Amino acid sequence: MTGSIEARFRTSFQGGFSLDVDLDLPATGVTALFGHSGSGKTTTLRCIAGLNRAEGTLRVDGETWQDARYFLPVHRRSLAYVFQEASLFPHLSVRQNLDYGARRIPAGERRIEFGQAVDWLGLSALLDRRPTNLSGGERQRVAVARALLTSPRLLLMDEPLSALDHQSKKEILPYLEYLRDALSIPILYVTHSPDEVARLADHLVVLEAGRVLADGPLTETLARLDLPIRQDEDAGVALEARVVERDARWHLMRVAFPGGSLWIRDHGEEIGRNVRMRVLARDVSLALERHEESSILNILPATVTGSVPTDHPAVVLTQIRLGAPGSNLAPPANQNENPAWILNGTTPLISRLTARSSEALALAPGKQVWAHIKTAAVLD
Amino acid sequence: MPFDWNPVFLSLKLAGVTTFVLLIVGTPIAWRLARLRHWIKQPLVSLIALPLVLPPTVLGFYLLLALGPKGPVGQIVQSLGLGTIPFTFTGLVIASVFYSLPFAVQPLQNAFESLGDRPLEAASTLRASPLDRFFTVVVPLARPGFLTAAVLAFAHTIGEFGVVLMIGGNIPGQTKVLSVAIYDHVETLEYGQAHLMSAGMLVFSFTVLLTLYAVNGRAAWAEKP
């Protein structure tokens, strides 16, 4: 994959909804289109698929799918689409469903083999069943495999988990995470679940009322304080980190990311592996001094970069940046703090504080602080 | 008097040909109507449903005028050197197609509408062209609708009387179908023959409907939500 996805749509639909988006999406990884219902995320996805028509232009991987005079019909676009409900063909067996798309692409374009897709999604025991005899989660796995078997250049997923119960969601998420890492094609993933965004996305587009509110890399976009994705209780940042060190005695491992590193519970990942973590705003507290006598293991220098009020007048959310240049705090006094454990760059976090503390510490943009990070969860 | 099988065969032939024509003509009409999102839809649906409520003689009368030697259709046909239509088997087929149209179109339209857009959208994202989608997704999923349409069109054509009499007359071996033959027998007080034919029709109709409902009931494998 070399090219990216350029989508510009501007249309008013019947019923008063208007869509006005201009997106330049990365050619790899998962891009989440996030928004509440009515934000236009599904419509955007359907316009990219060609299932809805909107005026505009669309180029995928250097190929024009739509412009002012041209509209490539859906069935000629090298894409695959996973709907909210599995939408399997009820008159066909699982195997025939999987074959339906696979049979319709030229043999030369086949990059994903039948056996491979069946393995990836754990379908080998289901092949001769009818869709009606499958659970919701199984059906959705068949739908994903069926989509992949067209060897698409672009995979579109429209809230593929939202119709499933909690158990089925938990069952299918690891498959999607695996696909994200195994596939080299871009995935556009529509969701209204911050949790799915944190676990799956690499890139985040936030939509509201048919407009793009934000468009950027996952961690940076999640850390923005001006977006509706921030849910006060669960506000937090997801980030990709690398396992760099292990403390066998205390069952801890150190994960590093741009601008910092954290000791977290050992999940058994090998050193060098990437893990996805979530640091919730309520688990980050700020101090002006480095409190050595604290139960908190992770104390990192940071710079305050912004603050917003929340729904409750007592609580504010403060954005800080780890590894920001110009940090004049003393380097860590003890421990074998090896600077090699810190990757280049910076990482933003959000901290949830009382307004009183914020005032007492005189937190303002540019202020140097110590971030005390109580815990960080590994998402995989 | 030996039982005259001619009207029976003629009725079966007429119903068979009419059903065949109706499936070919009715499918695109039903498909178009099912997908139509326009105010014109209701007038069109009503137009096609007209034979359900019109006295068959009204339909037969207008068809006779249109198809007759002085009618617009009749003149075209004659100028092509194809002879006249009324009082021929062809005339019966044309009249029957109009008369039974709603019985074919309505079940098909219902079946197409209940499919929804989703299976077609899914097929199109799996690279199926419109015609491909129709034959690999719509036809198998709408199979009960096709079956209902065929059976109803067939049975309704077998049972028609008024239209046949208006447009076909009563020519033995050509247009004298079962229902007309029964009428004839009653007129001439041949109740034995009338009984035989009527009872046969009764049993036939019941068997057809029973088979239809049984088959469609078993074929209900709609996807659970």
Side-chain angles (χ1 to χ4, degrees), chain A residues 46 51 74-75 77-79 81 83 85 87-91 100-101 104-105 132 139 146 150, chain B residues 118-119 121-130 132-133 136-137 140-141 221-224:
Chain A
R46 289 177 60 86
L51 292 169
V74 183
H75 67 276
R77 300 183 179 198
S78 179
L79 58 80
Y81 201 106
F83 295 88
E85 323 80 35
S87 309
L88 301 178
F89 300 125
H91 61 295
Y100 189 92
R104 284 167 171 77
I105 57 163
T132 27
R139 261 181 246 166
R146 182 177 72 171
T150 62
Chain B
R118 186 45 54 77
E121 289 185 347
S124 68
T125 66
L126 295 166
R127 311 295 158 77
S129 67
D132 186 359
R133 299 201 279 272
T136 59
V137 176
L141 288 182
W221 30 228
E223 195 174 8
K224 277 179 255 167

mmCIF file of all heavy atoms in Angstrom, chain A residues 46 51 74-75 77-79 81 83 85 87-91 100-101 104-105 132 139 146 150, chain B residues 118-119 121-130 132-133 136-137 140-141 221-224:
data_model
loop_
_atom_site.group_PDB
_atom_site.id
_atom_site.type_symbol
_atom_site.label_atom_id
_atom_site.label_comp_id
_atom_site.label_asym_id
_atom_site.label_seq_id
_atom_site.Cartn_x
_atom_site.Cartn_y
_atom_site.Cartn_z
ATOM 1 N N ARG A 46 -20.625 4.829 4.161
ATOM 2 C CA ARG A 46 -21.436 4.353 3.036
ATOM 3 C C ARG A 46 -21.122 5.123 1.757
ATOM 4 O O ARG A 46 -21.185 4.570 0.661
ATOM 5 C CB ARG A 46 -22.926 4.455 3.372
ATOM 6 C CG ARG A 46 -23.374 3.428 4.428
ATOM 7 C CD ARG A 46 -24.836 3.611 4.801
ATOM 8 N NE ARG A 46 -25.699 3.439 3.643
ATOM 9 C CZ ARG A 46 -26.155 2.259 3.232
ATOM 10 N NH1 ARG A 46 -25.865 1.169 3.885
ATOM 11 N NH2 ARG A 46 -26.924 2.183 2.162
ATOM 12 N N LEU A 51 -22.357 3.034 -1.423
ATOM 13 C CA LEU A 51 -23.724 2.593 -1.119
ATOM 14 C C LEU A 51 -24.667 3.789 -1.039
ATOM 15 O O LEU A 51 -25.857 3.670 -1.299
ATOM 16 C CB LEU A 51 -23.755 1.815 0.198
ATOM 17 C CG LEU A 51 -23.037 0.461 0.183
ATOM 18 C CD1 LEU A 51 -22.898 -0.084 1.590
ATOM 19 C CD2 LEU A 51 -23.779 -0.526 -0.703
ATOM 20 N N VAL A 74 -20.482 0.208 -6.774
ATOM 21 C CA VAL A 74 -19.972 -0.501 -5.593
ATOM 22 C C VAL A 74 -19.259 -1.797 -5.969
ATOM 23 O O VAL A 74 -18.171 -2.085 -5.469
ATOM 24 C CB VAL A 74 -21.140 -0.842 -4.639
ATOM 25 C CG1 VAL A 74 -20.620 -1.505 -3.388
ATOM 26 C CG2 VAL A 74 -21.938 0.394 -4.307
ATOM 27 N N HIS A 75 -19.884 -2.576 -6.861
ATOM 28 C CA HIS A 75 -19.345 -3.912 -7.105
ATOM 29 C C HIS A 75 -18.037 -3.884 -7.887
ATOM 30 O O HIS A 75 -17.415 -4.920 -8.063
ATOM 31 C CB HIS A 75 -20.384 -4.799 -7.806
ATOM 32 C CG HIS A 75 -20.727 -4.374 -9.199
ATOM 33 N ND1 HIS A 75 -21.659 -3.411 -9.471
ATOM 34 C CD2 HIS A 75 -20.255 -4.777 -10.398
ATOM 35 C CE1 HIS A 75 -21.749 -3.239 -10.773
ATOM 36 N NE2 HIS A 75 -20.908 -4.054 -11.360
ATOM 37 N N ARG A 77 -15.622 -1.663 -6.926
ATOM 38 C CA ARG A 77 -14.644 -1.092 -6.010
ATOM 39 C C ARG A 77 -13.961 -2.207 -5.232
ATOM 40 O O ARG A 77 -14.634 -3.106 -4.734
ATOM 41 C CB ARG A 77 -15.328 -0.129 -5.027
ATOM 42 C CG ARG A 77 -16.012 1.019 -5.726
ATOM 43 C CD ARG A 77 -16.627 2.010 -4.753
ATOM 44 N NE ARG A 77 -17.248 3.096 -5.524
ATOM 45 C CZ ARG A 77 -17.575 4.276 -5.031
ATOM 46 N NH1 ARG A 77 -17.365 4.532 -3.755
ATOM 47 N NH2 ARG A 77 -18.107 5.203 -5.804
ATOM 48 N N SER A 78 -12.660 -2.096 -5.108
ATOM 49 C CA SER A 78 -11.927 -3.138 -4.386
ATOM 50 C C SER A 78 -12.019 -2.878 -2.886
ATOM 51 O O SER A 78 -11.057 -2.493 -2.234
ATOM 52 C CB SER A 78 -10.474 -3.168 -4.834
ATOM 53 O OG SER A 78 -9.792 -4.163 -4.116
ATOM 54 N N LEU A 79 -13.207 -3.079 -2.352
ATOM 55 C CA LEU A 79 -13.415 -2.859 -0.931
ATOM 56 C C LEU A 79 -14.225 -4.005 -0.368
ATOM 57 O O LEU A 79 -14.800 -4.796 -1.097
ATOM 58 C CB LEU A 79 -14.156 -1.540 -0.682
ATOM 59 C CG LEU A 79 -15.535 -1.331 -1.313
ATOM 60 C CD1 LEU A 79 -16.645 -2.024 -0.533
ATOM 61 C CD2 LEU A 79 -15.843 0.154 -1.385
ATOM 62 N N TYR A 81 -17.000 -4.734 3.038
ATOM 63 C CA TYR A 81 -17.827 -3.986 3.981
ATOM 64 C C TYR A 81 -18.403 -4.955 5.005
ATOM 65 O O TYR A 81 -18.970 -5.981 4.636
ATOM 66 C CB TYR A 81 -18.957 -3.315 3.204
ATOM 67 C CG TYR A 81 -19.611 -2.137 3.889
ATOM 68 C CD1 TYR A 81 -19.364 -0.842 3.454
ATOM 69 C CD2 TYR A 81 -20.502 -2.316 4.943
ATOM 70 C CE1 TYR A 81 -19.965 0.245 4.045
ATOM 71 C CE2 TYR A 81 -21.110 -1.222 5.555
ATOM 72 C CZ TYR A 81 -20.846 0.051 5.101
ATOM 73 O OH TYR A 81 -21.439 1.129 5.690
ATOM 74 N N PHE A 83 -21.180 -5.096 7.854
ATOM 75 C CA PHE A 83 -22.324 -4.322 8.332
ATOM 76 C C PHE A 83 -22.539 -4.544 9.826
ATOM 77 O O PHE A 83 -21.997 -5.481 10.419
ATOM 78 C CB PHE A 83 -23.587 -4.726 7.578
ATOM 79 C CG PHE A 83 -23.558 -4.395 6.115
ATOM 80 C CD1 PHE A 83 -23.036 -5.289 5.193
ATOM 81 C CD2 PHE A 83 -24.048 -3.186 5.652
ATOM 82 C CE1 PHE A 83 -22.999 -4.995 3.837
ATOM 83 C CE2 PHE A 83 -24.025 -2.878 4.304
ATOM 84 C CZ PHE A 83 -23.493 -3.778 3.400
ATOM 85 N N GLU A 85 -25.265 -5.590 11.346
ATOM 86 C CA GLU A 85 -25.769 -6.945 11.472
ATOM 87 C C GLU A 85 -25.035 -7.750 10.401
ATOM 88 O O GLU A 85 -24.782 -7.244 9.319
ATOM 89 C CB GLU A 85 -27.268 -7.030 11.230
ATOM 90 C CG GLU A 85 -28.087 -5.875 11.753
ATOM 91 C CD GLU A 85 -28.027 -4.683 10.836
ATOM 92 O OE1 GLU A 85 -27.969 -4.883 9.618
ATOM 93 O OE2 GLU A 85 -27.998 -3.547 11.333
ATOM 94 N N SER A 87 -25.577 -9.752 8.129
ATOM 95 C CA SER A 87 -26.070 -9.744 6.750
ATOM 96 C C SER A 87 -25.523 -10.900 5.917
ATOM 97 O O SER A 87 -25.136 -10.721 4.779
ATOM 98 C CB SER A 87 -25.731 -8.422 6.052
ATOM 99 O OG SER A 87 -26.136 -7.340 6.831
ATOM 100 N N LEU A 88 -25.469 -12.062 6.520
ATOM 101 C CA LEU A 88 -25.098 -13.248 5.749
ATOM 102 C C LEU A 88 -26.281 -13.638 4.878
ATOM 103 O O LEU A 88 -27.419 -13.290 5.178
ATOM 104 C CB LEU A 88 -24.735 -14.395 6.697
ATOM 105 C CG LEU A 88 -23.587 -14.114 7.653
ATOM 106 C CD1 LEU A 88 -23.353 -15.312 8.569
ATOM 107 C CD2 LEU A 88 -22.318 -13.773 6.911
ATOM 108 N N PHE A 89 -25.992 -14.385 3.813
ATOM 109 C CA PHE A 89 -27.081 -14.845 2.963
ATOM 110 C C PHE A 89 -27.689 -16.083 3.610
ATOM 111 O O PHE A 89 -27.026 -17.115 3.737
ATOM 112 C CB PHE A 89 -26.562 -15.171 1.560
ATOM 113 C CG PHE A 89 -25.939 -13.986 0.879
ATOM 114 C CD1 PHE A 89 -24.656 -14.049 0.390
ATOM 115 C CD2 PHE A 89 -26.635 -12.791 0.758
ATOM 116 C CE1 PHE A 89 -24.071 -12.952 -0.238
ATOM 117 C CE2 PHE A 89 -26.070 -11.691 0.153
ATOM 118 C CZ PHE A 89 -24.785 -11.777 -0.352
ATOM 119 N N PRO A 90 -28.963 -16.012 4.020
ATOM 120 C CA PRO A 90 -29.542 -17.113 4.790
ATOM 121 C C PRO A 90 -29.736 -18.367 3.960
ATOM 122 O O PRO A 90 -29.893 -19.454 4.508
ATOM 123 C CB PRO A 90 -30.883 -16.552 5.266
ATOM 124 C CG PRO A 90 -31.194 -15.432 4.340
ATOM 125 C CD PRO A 90 -29.883 -14.885 3.861
ATOM 126 N N HIS A 91 -29.742 -18.227 2.624
ATOM 127 C CA HIS A 91 -29.976 -19.415 1.799
ATOM 128 C C HIS A 91 -28.676 -20.150 1.493
ATOM 129 O O HIS A 91 -28.695 -21.160 0.797
ATOM 130 C CB HIS A 91 -30.690 -19.026 0.504
ATOM 131 C CG HIS A 91 -29.910 -18.073 -0.367
ATOM 132 N ND1 HIS A 91 -29.617 -16.783 0.038
ATOM 133 C CD2 HIS A 91 -29.364 -18.217 -1.591
ATOM 134 C CE1 HIS A 91 -28.930 -16.190 -0.925
ATOM 135 N NE2 HIS A 91 -28.757 -17.031 -1.918
ATOM 136 N N TYR A 100 -18.824 -16.639 -1.713
ATOM 137 C CA TYR A 100 -19.608 -15.754 -2.576
ATOM 138 C C TYR A 100 -18.754 -14.620 -3.144
ATOM 139 O O TYR A 100 -18.741 -14.391 -4.350
ATOM 140 C CB TYR A 100 -20.800 -15.169 -1.799
ATOM 141 C CG TYR A 100 -21.774 -14.420 -2.686
ATOM 142 C CD1 TYR A 100 -22.873 -15.057 -3.249
ATOM 143 C CD2 TYR A 100 -21.593 -13.066 -2.973
ATOM 144 C CE1 TYR A 100 -23.756 -14.391 -4.065
ATOM 145 C CE2 TYR A 100 -22.473 -12.390 -3.807
ATOM 146 C CZ TYR A 100 -23.552 -13.054 -4.349
ATOM 147 O OH TYR A 100 -24.426 -12.388 -5.166
ATOM 148 N N GLY A 101 -18.052 -13.924 -2.262
ATOM 149 C CA GLY A 101 -17.205 -12.828 -2.744
ATOM 150 C C GLY A 101 -15.925 -13.349 -3.376
ATOM 151 O O GLY A 101 -15.470 -12.836 -4.397
ATOM 152 N N ARG A 104 -15.869 -14.081 -6.977
ATOM 153 C CA ARG A 104 -16.139 -12.977 -7.893
ATOM 154 C C ARG A 104 -14.939 -12.056 -8.117
ATOM 155 O O ARG A 104 -15.090 -11.010 -8.718
ATOM 156 C CB ARG A 104 -17.356 -12.188 -7.397
ATOM 157 C CG ARG A 104 -18.646 -12.921 -7.693
ATOM 158 C CD ARG A 104 -19.840 -12.336 -6.959
ATOM 159 N NE ARG A 104 -21.087 -12.931 -7.440
ATOM 160 C CZ ARG A 104 -21.507 -14.144 -7.105
ATOM 161 N NH1 ARG A 104 -20.780 -14.881 -6.298
ATOM 162 N NH2 ARG A 104 -22.646 -14.611 -7.580
ATOM 163 N N ILE A 105 -13.785 -12.417 -7.584
ATOM 164 C CA ILE A 105 -12.601 -11.611 -7.893
ATOM 165 C C ILE A 105 -11.686 -12.420 -8.809
ATOM 166 O O ILE A 105 -11.684 -13.647 -8.758
ATOM 167 C CB ILE A 105 -11.831 -11.179 -6.627
ATOM 168 C CG1 ILE A 105 -11.412 -12.405 -5.801
ATOM 169 C CG2 ILE A 105 -12.654 -10.236 -5.780
ATOM 170 C CD1 ILE A 105 -10.341 -12.111 -4.804
ATOM 171 N N THR A 132 -28.525 -19.255 10.164
ATOM 172 C CA THR A 132 -29.539 -19.221 11.223
ATOM 173 C C THR A 132 -29.120 -20.026 12.441
ATOM 174 O O THR A 132 -29.645 -19.826 13.528
ATOM 175 C CB THR A 132 -30.881 -19.794 10.715
ATOM 176 O OG1 THR A 132 -30.622 -20.714 9.672
ATOM 177 C CG2 THR A 132 -31.778 -18.696 10.233
ATOM 178 N N ARG A 139 -21.718 -15.299 13.612
ATOM 179 C CA ARG A 139 -22.164 -14.734 12.349
ATOM 180 C C ARG A 139 -21.278 -13.565 11.930
ATOM 181 O O ARG A 139 -20.912 -13.434 10.781
ATOM 182 C CB ARG A 139 -23.595 -14.219 12.492
ATOM 183 C CG ARG A 139 -24.607 -15.185 11.954
ATOM 184 C CD ARG A 139 -25.992 -14.615 12.106
ATOM 185 N NE ARG A 139 -26.718 -15.435 13.040
ATOM 186 C CZ ARG A 139 -27.851 -15.075 13.604
ATOM 187 N NH1 ARG A 139 -28.367 -13.893 13.361
ATOM 188 N NH2 ARG A 139 -28.459 -15.879 14.421
ATOM 189 N N ARG A 146 -15.815 -13.382 5.225
ATOM 190 C CA ARG A 146 -16.374 -13.265 3.885
ATOM 191 C C ARG A 146 -15.864 -11.993 3.209
ATOM 192 O O ARG A 146 -15.526 -11.989 2.027
ATOM 193 C CB ARG A 146 -17.909 -13.242 3.976
ATOM 194 C CG ARG A 146 -18.612 -13.160 2.647
ATOM 195 C CD ARG A 146 -20.120 -13.222 2.796
ATOM 196 N NE ARG A 146 -20.665 -11.997 3.365
ATOM 197 C CZ ARG A 146 -21.970 -11.725 3.440
ATOM 198 N NH1 ARG A 146 -22.843 -12.600 2.998
ATOM 199 N NH2 ARG A 146 -22.388 -10.610 3.974
ATOM 200 N N THR A 150 -12.473 -11.290 -0.335
ATOM 201 C CA THR A 150 -12.433 -10.594 -1.615
ATOM 202 C C THR A 150 -11.089 -9.897 -1.782
ATOM 203 O O THR A 150 -10.912 -9.128 -2.728
ATOM 204 C CB THR A 150 -13.561 -9.553 -1.734
ATOM 205 O OG1 THR A 150 -13.371 -8.570 -0.701
ATOM 206 C CG2 THR A 150 -14.924 -10.186 -1.566
ATOM 207 N N ARG B 118 -30.560 -4.650 2.453
ATOM 208 C CA ARG B 118 -29.314 -5.147 3.002
ATOM 209 C C ARG B 118 -28.669 -6.317 2.235
ATOM 210 O O ARG B 118 -27.480 -6.251 1.899
ATOM 211 C CB ARG B 118 -29.523 -5.509 4.484
ATOM 212 C CG ARG B 118 -28.267 -5.907 5.243
ATOM 213 C CD ARG B 118 -27.074 -4.998 5.005
ATOM 214 N NE ARG B 118 -27.309 -3.598 5.246
ATOM 215 C CZ ARG B 118 -27.358 -3.054 6.457
ATOM 216 N NH1 ARG B 118 -27.201 -3.786 7.513
ATOM 217 N NH2 ARG B 118 -27.566 -1.769 6.581
ATOM 218 N N PRO B 119 -29.435 -7.383 1.896
ATOM 219 C CA PRO B 119 -28.782 -8.483 1.173
ATOM 220 C C PRO B 119 -28.173 -8.022 -0.146
ATOM 221 O O PRO B 119 -27.105 -8.483 -0.543
ATOM 222 C CB PRO B 119 -29.927 -9.466 0.918
ATOM 223 C CG PRO B 119 -30.964 -9.123 1.906
ATOM 224 C CD PRO B 119 -30.856 -7.656 2.157
ATOM 225 N N GLU B 121 -27.110 -4.928 -0.805
ATOM 226 C CA GLU B 121 -25.918 -4.123 -0.510
ATOM 227 C C GLU B 121 -24.742 -5.030 -0.177
ATOM 228 O O GLU B 121 -23.623 -4.815 -0.636
ATOM 229 C CB GLU B 121 -26.193 -3.174 0.661
ATOM 230 C CG GLU B 121 -27.138 -2.056 0.303
ATOM 231 C CD GLU B 121 -27.318 -1.050 1.423
ATOM 232 O OE1 GLU B 121 -26.909 -1.348 2.576
ATOM 233 O OE2 GLU B 121 -27.859 0.021 1.161
ATOM 234 N N ALA B 122 -25.027 -6.057 0.626
ATOM 235 C CA ALA B 122 -23.954 -6.988 0.983
ATOM 236 C C ALA B 122 -23.398 -7.640 -0.281
ATOM 237 O O ALA B 122 -22.184 -7.726 -0.466
ATOM 238 C CB ALA B 122 -24.469 -8.047 1.951
ATOM 239 N N ALA B 123 -24.287 -8.055 -1.176
ATOM 240 C CA ALA B 123 -23.824 -8.703 -2.407
ATOM 241 C C ALA B 123 -23.010 -7.738 -3.260
ATOM 242 O O ALA B 123 -22.014 -8.123 -3.864
ATOM 243 C CB ALA B 123 -25.008 -9.249 -3.197
ATOM 244 N N SER B 124 -23.435 -6.464 -3.291
ATOM 245 C CA SER B 124 -22.701 -5.531 -4.140
ATOM 246 C C SER B 124 -21.308 -5.259 -3.581
ATOM 247 O O SER B 124 -20.362 -5.081 -4.330
ATOM 248 C CB SER B 124 -23.480 -4.224 -4.333
ATOM 249 O OG SER B 124 -23.539 -3.510 -3.126
ATOM 250 N N THR B 125 -21.160 -5.269 -2.237
ATOM 251 C CA THR B 125 -19.814 -5.098 -1.686
ATOM 252 C C THR B 125 -18.996 -6.372 -1.860
ATOM 253 O O THR B 125 -17.794 -6.372 -1.620
ATOM 254 C CB THR B 125 -19.831 -4.732 -0.190
ATOM 255 O OG1 THR B 125 -20.363 -5.829 0.556
ATOM 256 C CG2 THR B 125 -20.651 -3.496 0.086
ATOM 257 N N LEU B 126 -19.633 -7.448 -2.263
ATOM 258 C CA LEU B 126 -18.903 -8.690 -2.547
ATOM 259 C C LEU B 126 -18.737 -8.875 -4.052
ATOM 260 O O LEU B 126 -18.598 -9.993 -4.537
ATOM 261 C CB LEU B 126 -19.625 -9.882 -1.918
ATOM 262 C CG LEU B 126 -19.655 -9.856 -0.385
ATOM 263 C CD1 LEU B 126 -20.655 -10.850 0.156
ATOM 264 C CD2 LEU B 126 -18.278 -10.136 0.182
ATOM 265 N N ARG B 127 -18.804 -7.747 -4.771
ATOM 266 C CA ARG B 127 -18.479 -7.703 -6.213
ATOM 267 C C ARG B 127 -19.549 -8.272 -7.123
ATOM 268 O O ARG B 127 -19.251 -8.598 -8.281
ATOM 269 C CB ARG B 127 -17.157 -8.430 -6.516
ATOM 270 C CG ARG B 127 -16.007 -8.058 -5.657
ATOM 271 C CD ARG B 127 -15.623 -6.611 -5.866
ATOM 272 N NE ARG B 127 -14.892 -6.141 -4.699
ATOM 273 C CZ ARG B 127 -13.632 -6.436 -4.457
ATOM 274 N NH1 ARG B 127 -12.967 -7.140 -5.305
ATOM 275 N NH2 ARG B 127 -13.054 -5.991 -3.372
ATOM 276 N N ALA B 128 -20.776 -8.440 -6.667
ATOM 277 C CA ALA B 128 -21.814 -8.967 -7.544
ATOM 278 C C ALA B 128 -22.450 -7.822 -8.330
ATOM 279 O O ALA B 128 -22.865 -6.827 -7.738
ATOM 280 C CB ALA B 128 -22.865 -9.715 -6.742
ATOM 281 N N SER B 129 -22.533 -7.971 -9.648
ATOM 282 C CA SER B 129 -23.159 -6.955 -10.488
ATOM 283 C C SER B 129 -24.675 -7.002 -10.275
ATOM 284 O O SER B 129 -25.184 -7.957 -9.694
ATOM 285 C CB SER B 129 -22.836 -7.240 -11.957
ATOM 286 O OG SER B 129 -23.467 -8.435 -12.349
ATOM 287 N N PRO B 130 -25.413 -5.986 -10.744
ATOM 288 C CA PRO B 130 -26.858 -5.968 -10.487
ATOM 289 C C PRO B 130 -27.583 -7.246 -10.939
ATOM 290 O O PRO B 130 -28.401 -7.796 -10.197
ATOM 291 C CB PRO B 130 -27.332 -4.752 -11.280
ATOM 292 C CG PRO B 130 -26.149 -3.846 -11.304
ATOM 293 C CD PRO B 130 -24.940 -4.742 -11.376
ATOM 294 N N ASP B 132 -26.273 -10.235 -11.517
ATOM 295 C CA ASP B 132 -25.724 -11.292 -10.669
ATOM 296 C C ASP B 132 -26.442 -11.308 -9.307
ATOM 297 O O ASP B 132 -26.892 -12.346 -8.813
ATOM 298 C CB ASP B 132 -24.226 -10.993 -10.511
ATOM 299 C CG ASP B 132 -23.481 -12.099 -9.775
ATOM 300 O OD1 ASP B 132 -24.119 -13.076 -9.383
ATOM 301 O OD2 ASP B 132 -22.255 -11.964 -9.592
ATOM 302 N N ARG B 133 -26.598 -10.114 -8.714
ATOM 303 C CA ARG B 133 -27.284 -10.000 -7.422
ATOM 304 C C ARG B 133 -28.704 -10.521 -7.530
ATOM 305 O O ARG B 133 -29.208 -11.209 -6.657
ATOM 306 C CB ARG B 133 -27.352 -8.531 -6.979
ATOM 307 C CG ARG B 133 -26.035 -7.859 -6.783
ATOM 308 C CD ARG B 133 -26.197 -6.645 -5.887
ATOM 309 N NE ARG B 133 -26.696 -5.444 -6.548
ATOM 310 C CZ ARG B 133 -25.922 -4.550 -7.145
ATOM 311 N NH1 ARG B 133 -24.626 -4.732 -7.200
ATOM 312 N NH2 ARG B 133 -26.435 -3.469 -7.686
ATOM 313 N N THR B 136 -28.570 -14.438 -7.885
ATOM 314 C CA THR B 136 -27.953 -15.226 -6.816
ATOM 315 C C THR B 136 -28.466 -14.869 -5.430
ATOM 316 O O THR B 136 -28.241 -15.606 -4.484
ATOM 317 C CB THR B 136 -26.414 -15.067 -6.820
ATOM 318 O OG1 THR B 136 -26.106 -13.683 -6.658
ATOM 319 C CG2 THR B 136 -25.816 -15.586 -8.101
ATOM 320 N N VAL B 137 -29.109 -13.712 -5.295
ATOM 321 C CA VAL B 137 -29.589 -13.314 -3.974
ATOM 322 C C VAL B 137 -31.106 -13.137 -3.973
ATOM 323 O O VAL B 137 -31.816 -13.749 -3.171
ATOM 324 C CB VAL B 137 -28.904 -12.010 -3.499
ATOM 325 C CG1 VAL B 137 -29.483 -11.556 -2.170
ATOM 326 C CG2 VAL B 137 -27.401 -12.229 -3.378
ATOM 327 N N PRO B 140 -33.271 -16.586 -5.080
ATOM 328 C CA PRO B 140 -33.380 -17.620 -4.029
ATOM 329 C C PRO B 140 -34.080 -17.128 -2.759
ATOM 330 O O PRO B 140 -34.845 -17.880 -2.157
ATOM 331 C CB PRO B 140 -31.937 -18.021 -3.738
ATOM 332 C CG PRO B 140 -31.061 -17.112 -4.503
ATOM 333 C CD PRO B 140 -31.870 -16.373 -5.493
ATOM 334 N N LEU B 141 -33.839 -15.870 -2.379
ATOM 335 C CA LEU B 141 -34.471 -15.385 -1.149
ATOM 336 C C LEU B 141 -35.962 -15.123 -1.348
ATOM 337 O O LEU B 141 -36.742 -15.221 -0.407
ATOM 338 C CB LEU B 141 -33.777 -14.119 -0.644
ATOM 339 C CG LEU B 141 -32.394 -14.315 -0.044
ATOM 340 C CD1 LEU B 141 -31.831 -12.999 0.451
ATOM 341 C CD2 LEU B 141 -32.441 -15.312 1.102
ATOM 342 N N TRP B 221 -37.004 -19.749 6.073
ATOM 343 C CA TRP B 221 -35.743 -19.696 6.818
ATOM 344 C C TRP B 221 -35.198 -18.284 6.870
ATOM 345 O O TRP B 221 -34.048 -18.027 6.585
ATOM 346 C CB TRP B 221 -34.681 -20.647 6.305
ATOM 347 C CG TRP B 221 -34.669 -21.012 4.841
ATOM 348 C CD1 TRP B 221 -34.566 -22.272 4.349
ATOM 349 C CD2 TRP B 221 -34.702 -20.169 3.687
ATOM 350 N NE1 TRP B 221 -34.552 -22.254 2.979
ATOM 351 C CE2 TRP B 221 -34.648 -20.989 2.550
ATOM 352 C CE3 TRP B 221 -34.803 -18.787 3.498
ATOM 353 C CZ2 TRP B 221 -34.664 -20.485 1.251
ATOM 354 C CZ3 TRP B 221 -34.836 -18.298 2.209
ATOM 355 C CH2 TRP B 221 -34.765 -19.137 1.110
ATOM 356 N N ALA B 222 -36.077 -17.355 7.169
ATOM 357 C CA ALA B 222 -35.622 -15.960 7.245
ATOM 358 C C ALA B 222 -34.572 -15.834 8.343
ATOM 359 O O ALA B 222 -34.654 -16.493 9.370
ATOM 360 C CB ALA B 222 -36.800 -15.048 7.541
ATOM 361 N N GLU B 223 -33.590 -14.964 8.104
ATOM 362 C CA GLU B 223 -32.500 -14.776 9.060
ATOM 363 C C GLU B 223 -33.038 -14.147 10.340
ATOM 364 O O GLU B 223 -33.793 -13.196 10.305
ATOM 365 C CB GLU B 223 -31.442 -13.850 8.446
ATOM 366 C CG GLU B 223 -30.153 -13.885 9.199
ATOM 367 C CD GLU B 223 -29.072 -13.057 8.486
ATOM 368 O OE1 GLU B 223 -29.419 -12.371 7.517
ATOM 369 O OE2 GLU B 223 -27.935 -13.122 8.915
ATOM 370 N N LYS B 224 -32.622 -14.705 11.450
ATOM 371 C CA LYS B 224 -33.031 -14.115 12.723
ATOM 372 C C LYS B 224 -32.329 -12.779 12.909
ATOM 373 O O LYS B 224 -31.206 -12.611 12.456
ATOM 374 C CB LYS B 224 -32.659 -15.048 13.876
ATOM 375 C CG LYS B 224 -33.686 -16.138 14.107
ATOM 376 C CD LYS B 224 -33.234 -17.044 15.251
ATOM 377 C CE LYS B 224 -32.727 -18.361 14.699
ATOM 378 N NZ LYS B 224 -32.019 -19.152 15.687
#
